[in-house]
DNA sequence: CGGCAACTTGAATCGCTTCAACCCGAGTGG
DNA sequence: CCACTCGGGTTGAAGCGATTCAAGTTGCCG
């Protein structure tokens, strides 16, 4: 039931819908609910906070376009990006009452977000949300292993492989190539490094022909091989897909 | 409705029940379901895996007694503890179909576990589970910030404060004192350090009278002050409690 | 063309690791 | 009852990966 990839002025299949549908095949009612929510998409300027640590989360939202990050900042200015939020990812989804944000969420690019339809709308939507939450947790575990036991170059490559994998789900990566809106300093803040060292390691990666990073576009020359070299396994949370 | 703290041969309130009830006040039916599940407690020997990364999770369980850890091991032997599982914590709870374990879970001590009653048993139980999951994610975020942007000594103190906070919920810590079953090497594997360096930093912490660690017993002399010094805020996931 | 953010480079320094040795208390078996 | 072993903790010295600081360079945008 694939729609044609190009169908006139309208989009083909919004990355957000594509991701959620890839996590759990959506029934017509679920897809309809999301398409309806997409009509209420709003724009968020770059650097604006969507959530603030310790404050109520408000209604859950879906990222339609752009990148955001969960961030923690210490009093002395040290900054750590905890995770990145990409198109199709959910913001502020919680199953318990009166949820408080456990981290601040900041727009890394100009952002488009829409309301997340209630999980009760359709069982397939609830499943997609649950898959999304489980996937997010799995990536947090990856991030911990990255920071704890990988060297600088391994950390960088591992994170880029994660981006490739996640963007591919949303249809935003093709054969190891994708758009990345991050500066080297932002990469450093995610990887527990300094921007100077990220710079040097990226040069080494380019020298070793592992990847290409020109402007905003990254190409991983052989994702599968690279994943094997640094011992990274793709994230899988369910036997179903 | 507090039961007396000492009531003959029977336990007062099992740490696991105490923790879940602290996360969300349990209705009688929920508490009954857990008490019933506790009758089916089984023992797991030390070093045994309860879950294996990539394998189906099986039925969810509650830790009744002892400590476990989620662990990732690289081919070259590098080991990273992703998180620790303490009495009252849930193992393998997932909201989506056919869940696969996203990490191996290993018993760090001899363990007692019981089946986790289905969330559908009682809405208060479902809420407690949701709170538990949210809390777990919050601690993963803490762990990321620890590994990414804290120095060795800060990491150690931050983790010990987490243990104090979590064990207190289960009634297993009193005024900054609790039993810890970890070796310095296991601490190191959680904190992305070497055991040699953990040793040196612990000596420094003792020298500075921040804590005491004799045998299996840890005492943090002034948890609130220490938390302030290293910029740690208690984990809070809901405005309700 | 001027200004600013991001990227690049070199040199000195430091936090942590590595390696190797040693100590100590708790089992264990002769 | 003591020698033996073994896991965990302790210590010192050398080395390395990453940081720090400071000075360019590049490229984009007004």
């Amino acid at each position: 039931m694939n729609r044609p990839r190009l169908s006139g002025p309208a989009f083909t299949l919004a990355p957000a819908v594509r991701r959620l549908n890839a996590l759990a095949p959506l029934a017509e009612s679920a897809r309809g609910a999301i398409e309806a929510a997409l009509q209420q998409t709003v724009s968020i300027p770059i650097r604006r906070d969507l959530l603030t640590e310790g404050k109520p989360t408000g209604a859950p939202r879906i990222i339609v376009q752009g990148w955001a990050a969960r961030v923690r900042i210490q009093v002395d200015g040290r900054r750590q990006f905890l995770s990145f939020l990409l198109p199709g990812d959910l913001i502020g989804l919680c199953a318990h009452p009166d949820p408080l944000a456990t981290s601040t969420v900041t727009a890394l690019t100009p952002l488009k977000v829409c309301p997340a339809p209630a999980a009760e709308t359709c069982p397939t939507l609830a499943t997609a949300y649950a898959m999304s939450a489980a996937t997010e947790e799995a990536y947090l575990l990856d991030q911990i292993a990255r920071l704890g036991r990988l060297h600088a170059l391994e950390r960088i490559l591992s994170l880029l492989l994660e981006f490739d994998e996640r963007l591919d789900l949303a249809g935003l990566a093709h054969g190891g190539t994708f758009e990345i809106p991050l500066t080297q300093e932002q990469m450093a803040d995610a990887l527990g490094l300094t921007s100077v060292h990220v710079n040097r390691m990226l040069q080494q990666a380019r020298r070793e022909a592992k990847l290409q990073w020109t402007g905003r576009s990254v190409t991983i020359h052989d994702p599968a091989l690279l994943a094997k070299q640094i011992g990274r396994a793709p994230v899988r949370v369910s036997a179903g897909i």
Side-chain angles (χ1 to χ4, degrees), chain A:
Chain A
M1 230 332 174
N2 285 329
R3 303 195 194 175
R5 305 218 77 234
L6 294 170
S7 55
F11 46 60
T12 59
L13 193 55
V17 183
R18 185 161 168 164
R19 171 178 187 262
L20 290 172
N21 188 62
L23 288 174
L26 299 175
E28 266 313 312
S29 65
R31 193 179 297 195
I34 301 178
E35 301 280 8
L38 280 172
Q39 301 306 311
Q40 300 170 57
T41 296
V42 299
S43 293
I44 312 267
I46 188 170
R47 272 180 289 276
R48 164 94 100 252
D49 287 352
L50 287 98
L51 255 47
T52 305
E53 189 175 340
K55 297 262 187 74
T57 58
R61 285 164 283 181
I62 302 175
I63 297 195
V64 176
Q65 197 182 101
W67 288 33
R70 307 178 74 172
V71 63
R72 200 157 286 181
I73 297 180
Q74 320 228 154
V75 282
D76 61 2
R78 283 180 284 183
R79 182 169 72 159
Q80 177 66 41
F81 286 128
L82 307 168
S83 70
F84 293 98
L85 300 172
L86 276 38
D89 283 353
L90 289 145
I91 302 178
L93 189 73
C94 277
H96 59 89
D98 299 315
L100 300 177
T102 51
S103 69
T104 296
V105 173
T106 306
L108 298 177
T109 67
L111 219 57
K112 292 193 189 306
V113 301
C114 76
E120 294 73 31
T121 305
C122 167
T124 63
L125 188 60
T127 301
Y129 285 174
M131 291 282 294
S132 181
T135 304
E136 189 194 321
E137 187 186 295
Y139 284 120
L140 291 182
L141 299 183
D142 272 8
Q143 171 76 341
I144 291 171
R146 232 182 335 250
L147 294 172
R149 284 295 180 233
L150 295 195
H151 294 157
L153 182 54
E154 294 172 319
R155 291 186 205 183
I156 292 171
L157 299 174
S158 161
L159 182 57
L160 292 176
L161 284 169
E162 175 183 318
F163 289 152
D164 184 47
E165 186 177 292
R166 291 171 62 183
L167 289 171
D168 190 53
L169 251 200
L172 295 172
H174 303 94
T177 297
F178 53 90
E179 294 297 300
I180 191 169
L182 303 181
T183 65
Q184 294 181 358
E185 186 170 6
Q186 288 170 326
M187 285 288 288
D189 282 340
L191 297 172
L193 300 168
T194 59
S195 61
V196 171
H197 202 53
V198 166
N199 181 286
R200 293 197 239 260
M201 292 299 103
L202 278 176
Q203 291 176 51
Q204 184 181 332
R206 280 185 294 234
R207 233 180 297 126
E208 295 172 357
K210 289 185 159 76
L211 58 85
Q212 206 177 314
W213 183 328
T214 47
R216 331 228 81 175
S217 175
V218 167
T219 298
I220 303 170
H221 289 131
D222 189 340
L225 173 65
L226 191 55
K228 200 179 159 202
Q229 284 176 354
I230 66 171
R232 179 182 195 276
V235 163
R236 254 189 109 214
V237 300
S238 161
I241 57 169

